Amino acid sequence: TSDPQWSNVAGALRGSDSNSSSSVSQPPVTSPIAIPVTYWEDAARVTRSFTLTDFTLPAGLLPTDRVTRLGVLLRGPTNEISYLADPIDGGSMTATLTTADGSTCTASTPSYGQSGAYVRYDLISGSCASKVITADQLDDAQLQVSITTGCTVPSAPFPPAGTCSSVGIPKVDHLALSVGTDTYHGPTPYSSVTSSAFDQTSFDVFGPALMPTADLDINWNGVPDVTRPLFDGPLQVHGLGVRQAASAAQGTICCVIDNTAAVLVASVDGDVRAQSAIRVDTGVIGSVTNRRPVEILSWQLCGRNGC
């Protein structure tokens, strides 16, 4: 940090050692207000900043991953008392993130405090939402936390003229960025449902079922109810599998085509492998058991260069 008022700055970098916190030396008030974290200051108030630099991406987070959650984690010593400055005193805390390209975004709160538990300040809901899109923008970033003390004027004759009684600047034991992403690099999640007429059980979904990153297997046991599909609304899955038990029959999984024509696309690992254009005969009134005729207009297998 560039603020010379902070001592033992490296103590906060160690993160988990509450005996090595960083702090600002302040003259405490011993009389008449015997509160260890209260002190006299000029009415102009005091601002102190703490800065961390040279951030690197943690293991498991790739540079191209989207940043969907971003916050500041702040914790004081776990072996000391927690406190909170009164917001009406006018104190504040501001966290400023500066990326390697010089862009800045901030999050502010009209108070500040010291806590032995982690306190999280959200950055992504503010100006960072439009400036930090992917994780690589956090590499070599710097984070500055600035605390401005408030001003409480007790009853006369205290404090001395031109001064305030204020809550002290909290100690810092751990200061860090908390990053979240909706990008998933593991295996595709898997789900399985069963429609079993033998056991008088069924699986029914009413409304949209949107699972674009999940695989779904349908197990048919027995003779299903053919008067309705399992999914009554739109269905979106990463992959769909069907298993039929011996002597069982398949029912309808989904879906309703609202228009008279559609293009059906099959993808494997995100690559289009086949597609077919179809037209539904609107001259025939169909039912669940007597479908309208469907004309296949085209059928195409796709290569590595697409369709």
Side-chain angles (χ1 to χ4, degrees):
T1 180
S2 59
D3 191 332
Q5 299 295 326
W6 286 90
S7 61
N8 193 29
V9 174
L13 302 180
R14 286 192 283 270
S16 61
D17 185 1
S18 292
N19 294 318
S20 299
S21 58
S22 302
S23 61
V24 173
S25 297
Q26 298 168 254
V29 175
T30 57
S31 177
I33 306 174
I35 304 176
V37 296
T38 302
Y39 68 104
W40 299 132
E41 65 174 20
D42 293 335
R45 305 177 185 175
V46 173
T47 298
R48 293 288 177 252
S49 298
F50 193 99
T51 305
L52 295 183
T53 60
D54 301 324
F55 280 93
T56 57
L57 298 182
L61 191 65
L62 301 183
T64 55
D65 288 347
R66 289 199 331 147
V67 176
T68 56
R69 294 178 302 280
L70 183 62
V72 177
L73 288 180
L74 181 65
R75 188 186 72 186
T78 57
N79 56 356
E80 294 192 19
I81 190 172
S82 298
Y83 60 84
L84 180 67
D86 195 324
I88 66 173
D89 294 345
S92 64
M93 194 207 80
T94 301
T96 302
L97 179 70
T98 303
T99 58
D101 63 0
S103 299
T104 61
C105 52
T106 62
S108 299
T109 178
S111 185
Y112 61 90
Q114 178 172 295
S115 175
Y118 285 108
V119 179
R120 185 182 186 276
Y121 301 94
D122 190 17
L123 282 170
I124 204 68
S125 63
S127 55
C128 284
S130 61
K131 296 183 179 180
V132 181
I133 308 300
T134 54
D136 59 338
Q137 294 175 273
L138 299 175
D139 207 11
D140 291 330
Q142 70 177 28
L143 175 66
Q144 182 185 74
V145 173
S146 298
I147 297 171
T148 300
T149 58
C151 182
T152 301
V153 181
S155 300
F158 303 102
T163 61
C164 299
S165 172
S166 298
V167 174
I169 295 173
K171 294 181 180 180
V172 177
D173 177 58
H174 192 193
L175 178 62
L177 279 178
S178 171
V179 185
T181 179
D182 61 0
T183 306
Y184 180 65
H185 299 288
T188 302
Y190 167 79
S191 298
S192 177
V193 299
T194 299
S195 177
S196 178
F198 295 146
D199 301 325
Q200 295 183 338
T201 61
S202 65
F203 178 85
D204 301 282
V205 175
F206 301 94
L210 306 179
M211 302 181 292
T213 62
D215 289 344
L216 176 65
D217 276 353
I218 306 294
N219 300 296
W220 298 103
N221 294 346
V223 179
D225 181 357
V226 296
T227 62
R228 67 182 185 212
L230 298 183
F231 294 86
D232 188 66
L235 172 65
Q236 183 182 14
V237 293
H238 176 268
L240 180 63
V242 176
R243 295 189 178 97
Q244 180 180 341
S247 71
Q250 294 186 24
T252 303
I253 298 176
C254 72
C255 300
V256 176
I257 298 177
D258 296 329
N259 301 314
T260 60
V263 176
L264 306 180
V265 178
S267 299
V268 178
D269 292 335
D271 297 324
V272 176
R273 297 302 188 189
Q275 66 181 28
S276 177
I278 65 170
R279 178 182 291 122
V280 180
D281 188 347
T282 57
V284 177
I285 299 177
S287 66
V288 174
T289 57
N290 184 23
R291 301 291 183 170
R292 291 184 297 177
V294 175
E295 179 185 1
I296 299 177
L297 302 178
S298 67
W299 171 264
Q300 185 179 9
L301 293 175
C302 309
R304 65 177 60 186
N305 295 324
C307 291

